[in-house]
């Protein structure tokens, strides 16, 4: 019975998600990233939020897996990239150039014609490519490293920044820091959340920061 209920809920969410973009129910919220040395905002991360007419606010933890399983993450992901680029341009025009980081799902990276989507979004909005940052999880890279390297190379040629998300868990490998075109590491929160009072976490984070800096990469 629990599985049956869950399946019906997922099918209902799929139906609602298909209409969410055209109904304007999806929004991007922008979470600041702070540079520790200056205490200034160095950029923002775009966070997808969904408010449904009947369901109210639907947690990303609930609707993102449904979007990925159904393939809806591809058109939704394209909407996110286009919306983020429009916001970049708006901040440029207001004299506040701000780097915006966008999360990419593994499905979107593999099957979403990503390079064309990014190229079109930048061209249509007039946003500076240097202000767009794309975040990838490690699993998206390691499933097909050769194909991933080619896509990352094409994205880098557009001038966008590439970040690796949740570093330190899952498929973490020092080899792909050398293999792929990466500019930034985002250390997984499982290490960061206790860093102030857990010496082991502090040692791990300190080591990752030193490693990234020695490779010319920035760290979140």
């Amino acid at each position: 019975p629990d599985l049956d209920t869950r399946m019906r809920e997922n099918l209902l969410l799929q139906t609602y998600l298909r209409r969410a973009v055209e109904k304007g129910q999806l929004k991007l919220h922008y979470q600041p990233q702070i540079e520790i040395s200056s205490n200034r905002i160095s950029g923002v991360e775009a966070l997808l939020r969904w408010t449904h007419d009947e369901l109210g606010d639907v947690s990303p933890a609930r609707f993102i897996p449904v979007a990925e399983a159904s393939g809806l993450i591809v058109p939704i992901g394209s909407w996110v990239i286009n919306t983020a680029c429009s916001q970049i341009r708006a901040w440029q025009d207001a004299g506040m150039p701000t780097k915006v980081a966008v999360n990419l799902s593994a499905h979107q990276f593999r099957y979403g014609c990503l390079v064309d989507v990014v190229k079109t979004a930048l061209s249509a909005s007039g946003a500076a490519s240097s202000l767009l940052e794309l975040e990838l999880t490690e699993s998206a890279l390691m499933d097909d490293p050769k194909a991933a390297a080619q896509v990352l190379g094409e994205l880098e040629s557009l001038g966008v920044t590439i970040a690796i998300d949740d570093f330190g868990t899952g498929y973490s490998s020092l080899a792909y820091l050398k293999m792929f075109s990466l500019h930034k590491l985002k250390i997984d929160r499982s290490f960061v959340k206790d860093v102030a009072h857990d010496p082991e976490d502090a040692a791990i984070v300190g080591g990752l920061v030193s490693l990234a800096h020695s490779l010319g990469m920035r760290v979140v």
Side-chain angles (χ1 to χ4, degrees), residues 154-196:
E154 292 178 24
L155 290 172
E156 187 178 35
S157 69
L158 297 178
V160 304
T161 300
I162 307 297
I164 187 73
D165 204 4
D166 301 332
F167 188 77
T169 62
Y171 291 81
S172 288
S173 169
L174 300 182
Y176 67 61
L177 296 183
K178 175 182 176 181
M179 184 188 313
F180 300 122
S181 299
L182 303 171
H183 308 102
K184 187 178 289 187
L185 290 186
K186 293 189 70 181
I187 300 174
D188 189 76
R189 72 178 301 274
S190 62
F191 300 115
V192 177
K193 63 186 177 70
D194 295 324
V195 73

Side-chain angles (χ1 to χ4, degrees), residues 66-167:
V66 173
E68 290 180 338
S70 64
L72 289 172
I73 196 66
V74 172
I76 290 174
S78 296
W79 176 87
V80 170
I81 292 173
N82 279 280
T83 303
C85 285
S86 296
Q87 182 62 69
I88 290 173
R89 177 57 190 268
W91 279 329
Q92 283 179 244
D93 292 344
M96 300 185 300
T98 304
K99 177 163 285 195
V100 177
V102 174
N103 288 284
L104 301 177
S105 76
H107 192 90
Q108 184 182 5
F109 183 71
R110 297 188 201 107
Y111 310 116
C113 302
L114 182 59
V115 175
D116 290 338
V117 169
V118 172
K119 191 182 300 185
T120 300
L122 290 170
S123 176
S125 64
S129 60
S130 59
L131 295 177
L132 177 63
E133 179 177 307
L134 301 176
E135 294 184 5
L136 287 158
T137 60
E138 298 160 297
S139 60
L141 299 178
M142 298 312 294
D143 281 356
D144 189 344
K146 187 175 180 180
Q150 180 178 344
V151 173
L152 291 181
E154 292 178 24
L155 290 172
E156 187 178 35
S157 69
L158 297 178
V160 304
T161 300
I162 307 297
I164 187 73
D165 204 4
D166 301 332
F167 188 77

